[in-house]
Amino acid sequence: MMSSVNKLIRDILHLDQDLDVEVRGWVRTARETKSAVFVELNDGSCLRNLQAVFDLGVWDRTRLAGLQTGASVRVRGRWVPSPAAEQPRELAATELEVYGTPDPTYPLQKKRHSFEFLRDWTHLRARTNTFGAIFRLRDLLAASIHRYFRGLGFVWVHTPIITTSDAEGAGQMFAVSAKLGEGQEFFGRPAHLSVSGQLNAEALALALGRVYTFGPTFRAENSNTARHLSEFWMVEPEAAFFELDDDMQLAQGLIQTLLRDALEGAPEDMEFFDRWIQNGLLEQLRRVRDADFAHLTYSQAIAALEKAVAGGQKFEYPVSWGMDLQSEHEKYLTEVYVGGPVIVTDYPRDIKAFYMKQNPDGKTVRAMDVLVPRLGEIIGGSQREDDLVKLEARMAELGMEGRDYEWYLDLRRFGTTPHAGFGLGFERLLQYVTGMANIRDVIPFFRAPGQAPC
Ligand code: 4AD
Ligand code: MG
C-alpha cells in the first residue's frame, strides 16, 4: 500500500493483514534495546502512535541516528503481528528516509509539559497529545454545528467583520481605521471589528426565515480570565417567528447534539480528556446529553442565591435583585443548586442589551442564558424587541439614536415579526466538552490582553 498523503496511521492501525505500508510522520519517541530500535510514529491523524521496529539484525545502528523525538520521517515496511501486548500489529521497517531532525533546543521532549509552558510554544503545541485531540475535536464540532442547523432548515449566512454598529451596546470594540488621504476616514465614520453578527443576522432572518452565523468575533474587554478571549468564534442562530421557548429548545438541542457527536465521533480523544484532563467527564457529558435542562427565571435564581447566603454560603459579590450574575453565582446555580445545566430567563432589562424584548412587567426582558457546571455562561440569547415604538424608546434612553441604527429599525417598520436567537461561544463549548480549564488552550492561536503570540 502506497500513499502520498500524511493521514495514514488512523487508516492502517485497525487493519489485521500483512501489508506493505509506507508512513510519513513525526517521531514521538525512540527506544533502543539490544535487538531493535522501537519508534513511536504519529502523523496527527489520531491520538494513537504507530510502532515501527528497526531490527538491529538487519539495520546498522549508524543509519538510525536521525530517529530522535521530533524528527520527520518516512518509513516503509511490513505490517506484521506484534509480540507486544499494546498493539496487535507493528511496522517491521525496511526503508527509512529522514526529512528533518530537530536541533537540540527542541522544546517538546518526551516528558509531560504544563499547558502554561506550552502557551509560549503555540506554534508547536499542536504536536502534543492534548492539543492534537483538542484541535481535531474543534473540527468535528464545527462540522456538527453545520449539520445540526442545516437539518433544521437554517441557512448559513456571512455577516460582516467590519461594522459601524455596536451590536451589544457594551462599547468593547477594536477600532478599524485607515486614511483615504487628507485625513479622511476610510468608511467616512468610525468602524470596528464586530462583537457579534446578530444585528445583521436579524436582517437576514427576517427575509430567509432561519439563519445562522459561525465565525470570528472580537471583544476589547480588558479581562484576563480563563473564559475570555479577545478573538473568539461564535455561532449565532436567528429565526423569524421564534419566541423564547423555541429559542431555548434550539439551544438545548444544539448542546445535546454536539455532545452526542463528540462522544460517538471521537471516542479515543474523549477518553483521553476523561483520563488526563477532567476525571468523570464522560459520565457528566452523557448525563447532560440525555436529560432536559433545568429552567429558572432570574428572580427565582436570585431567590435561590439569597437563600444560600442565609444558609451560610459565601460569595465575593453580594446578591441582590438587579445585579448581574457573577461567575461564582453561575457556578453555584449549576453545580450546587441544580446539579447540571440550567437556563436562566427574564433578566432585569438594565443589565441586558438594548435589543431584547421587554416583558409586560416593565422591569425584565425575554433573555435566556444557558449556564453549565465548571464554566457558567456558555450561551447568551433572547427574543428580540419587535415593537418599533418600544425599541426606539429603549434606544433613546441609552443614547443610541442616529443613522447607524436606522436600518435596524427598518426591520420593525417593514413587516416586523417575533424573532429570537442566541450566541454560543465556540471556545466555551470546547472547554466544556474537553474539560480544559483555560480558554487560551482550546483555540490554536489565542488573543488576550497583552498576548498575541504568533
Ligand atoms: O452573551 P453574548 O455577549 O451575546 C451576544 O453576543 C449576542 N449577540 C448573541 C445573540 O443573541 N446572537 O455572547 C454570546 C456567547 C457567550 O455566552 C459566551 O459563550 C461567548 O459568546 N463569549 C465569549 N467567549 C470567549 N471570550 C469572550 N470574551 C466572550 N464573550 C462572550
Ligand atoms: Mg452574555
Side-chain angles (χ1 to χ4, degrees):
M1 184 163 46
M2 269 281 272
S3 175
S4 58
V5 292
N6 229 353
K7 311 254 179 237
L8 195 65
I9 288 180
R10 185 191 47 207
D11 297 337
I12 70 165
L13 269 174
H14 69 278
L15 290 181
D16 189 25
Q17 48 187 303
D18 281 29
L19 293 168
D20 276 322
V21 289
E22 184 176 82
V23 172
R24 294 156 212 235
W26 290 267
V27 173
R28 282 293 176 86
T29 63
R31 178 173 58 88
E32 185 174 334
T33 67
K34 260 196 214 113
S35 57
V37 175
F38 296 90
V39 176
E40 294 289 326
L41 290 175
N42 192 287
D43 68 358
S45 61
C46 65
L47 189 65
R48 274 192 294 164
N49 301 323
L50 181 139
Q51 179 162 280
V53 182
F54 293 81
D55 184 341
L56 290 174
V58 182
W59 285 87
D60 188 321
R61 255 192 201 78
T62 54
R63 289 176 56 211
L64 303 179
L67 291 174
Q68 303 154 28
T69 296
S72 48
V73 298
R74 177 179 66 83
V75 181
R76 203 183 161 91
R78 252 344 245 169
W79 186 233
V80 295
S82 164
E86 309 89 66
Q87 75 263 322
R89 285 184 176 255
E90 62 191 18
L91 185 60
T94 54
E95 238 180 88
L96 169 68
E97 181 182 353
V98 177
Y99 296 105
T101 50
D103 91 26
T105 61
Y106 187 57
L108 304 181
Q109 292 306 325
K110 202 175 156 184
K111 68 180 180 112
R112 258 188 112 188
H113 299 286
S114 74
F115 297 140
E116 223 167 2
F117 171 84
L118 291 170
R119 266 172 238 146
D120 290 334
W121 298 94
T122 44
H123 54 298
L124 298 177
R125 66 180 180 170
R127 300 180 183 195
T128 64
N129 283 339
T130 304
F131 288 94
I134 292 168
F135 301 147
R136 279 189 298 272
L137 194 65
R138 258 189 97 95
D139 166 68
L140 183 150
L141 290 176
S144 174
I145 284 165
H146 287 299
R147 233 181 0 258
Y148 175 74
F149 285 116
R150 292 180 74 95
L152 293 171
F154 281 73
V155 176
W156 183 26
V157 295
H158 309 109
T159 51
I161 284 176
I162 300 176
T163 66
T164 51
S165 45
D166 180 358
E168 288 303 296
Q172 297 169 321
M173 299 187 294
F174 290 101
V176 174
S177 167
K179 301 289 177 219
L180 275 179
E182 292 171 27
Q184 196 191 344
E185 247 321 313
F186 196 91
F187 295 106
R189 52 188 163 146
H192 303 93
L193 294 180
S194 178
V195 296
S196 155
Q198 179 194 321
L199 304 192
N200 296 85
E202 283 185 56
L204 295 167
L206 295 193
L208 300 170
R210 297 177 169 197
V211 302
Y212 69 104
T213 69
F214 184 16
T217 42
F218 308 87
R219 297 206 181 170
E221 292 165 277
N222 192 7
S223 46
N224 247 313
T225 78
R227 38 175 233 159
H228 287 92
L229 289 167
S230 311
E231 175 179 306
F232 63 98
W233 281 58
M234 200 175 1
V235 185
E236 293 185 277
E238 189 71 35
F241 313 109
F242 259 43
E243 302 198 9
L244 198 68
D245 279 339
D246 307 304
D247 207 29
M248 291 193 283
Q249 271 179 39
L250 186 71
Q252 178 182 314
L254 174 61
I255 302 253
Q256 291 183 327
T257 299
L258 295 174
L259 294 183
R260 194 194 63 217
D261 287 355
L263 291 164
E264 280 173 18
E268 278 183 7
D269 289 338
M270 291 304 296
E271 271 163 37
F272 174 87
F273 297 131
D274 185 283
R275 175 149 184 229
W276 296 102
I277 307 296
Q278 175 84 39
N279 286 318
L281 180 74
L282 292 178
E283 198 36 53
Q284 202 183 91
L285 297 183
R286 283 191 199 112
R287 272 206 314 274
V288 173
R289 177 195 59 191
D290 296 334
D292 279 335
F293 296 1
H295 289 206
L296 286 176
T297 64
Y298 169 88
S299 297
Q300 289 170 329
I302 292 293
L305 293 168
E306 281 173 337
K307 204 169 154 202
V309 170
Q313 173 72 36
K314 297 268 179 283
F315 292 119
E316 193 187 327
Y317 293 87
V319 175
S320 67
W321 200 98
M323 62 148 200
D324 207 356
L325 296 181
Q326 301 296 321
S327 98
E328 56 177 346
H329 306 127
E330 294 176 344
K331 272 175 88 102
Y332 177 86
L333 290 171
T334 54
E335 291 170 13
V336 184
Y337 187 69
V338 170
V342 55
I343 308 185
V344 179
T345 61
D346 302 288
Y347 284 77
R349 66 170 210 163
D350 291 342
I351 57 171
K352 288 293 185 188
F354 69 95
Y355 51 70
M356 295 191 182
K357 186 169 181 59
Q358 298 170 39
N359 276 321
D361 66 9
K363 291 191 306 193
T364 60
V365 286
R366 301 298 277 155
M368 67 106 187
D369 278 5
V370 180
L371 315 180
V372 293
R374 288 189 271 117
L375 216 67
E377 180 188 338
I378 192 166
I379 283 180
S382 67
Q383 188 172 333
R384 319 307 188 187
E385 185 55 81
D386 48 21
D387 181 311
L388 177 64
V389 174
K390 285 188 182 156
L391 183 58
E392 272 181 324
R394 182 66 183 137
M395 289 172 74
E397 260 179 338
L398 295 167
M400 293 177 69
E401 303 99 328
R403 62 174 182 156
D404 286 349
Y405 297 95
E406 277 308 310
W407 68 268
Y408 188 67
L409 293 170
D410 277 350
L411 303 175
R412 279 73 181 164
R413 283 190 188 107
F414 310 135
T416 190
T417 71
H419 61 290
F422 62 79
L424 165 70
F426 191 47
E427 284 75 22
R428 296 248 177 114
L429 169 81
L430 275 154
Q431 275 191 282
Y432 186 55
V433 177
T434 59
M436 292 295 284
N438 196 311
I439 199 165
R440 292 173 179 80
D441 296 335
V442 294
I443 188 166
F445 303 101
F446 59 90
R447 272 87 183 91
Q451 295 178 302
C454 65

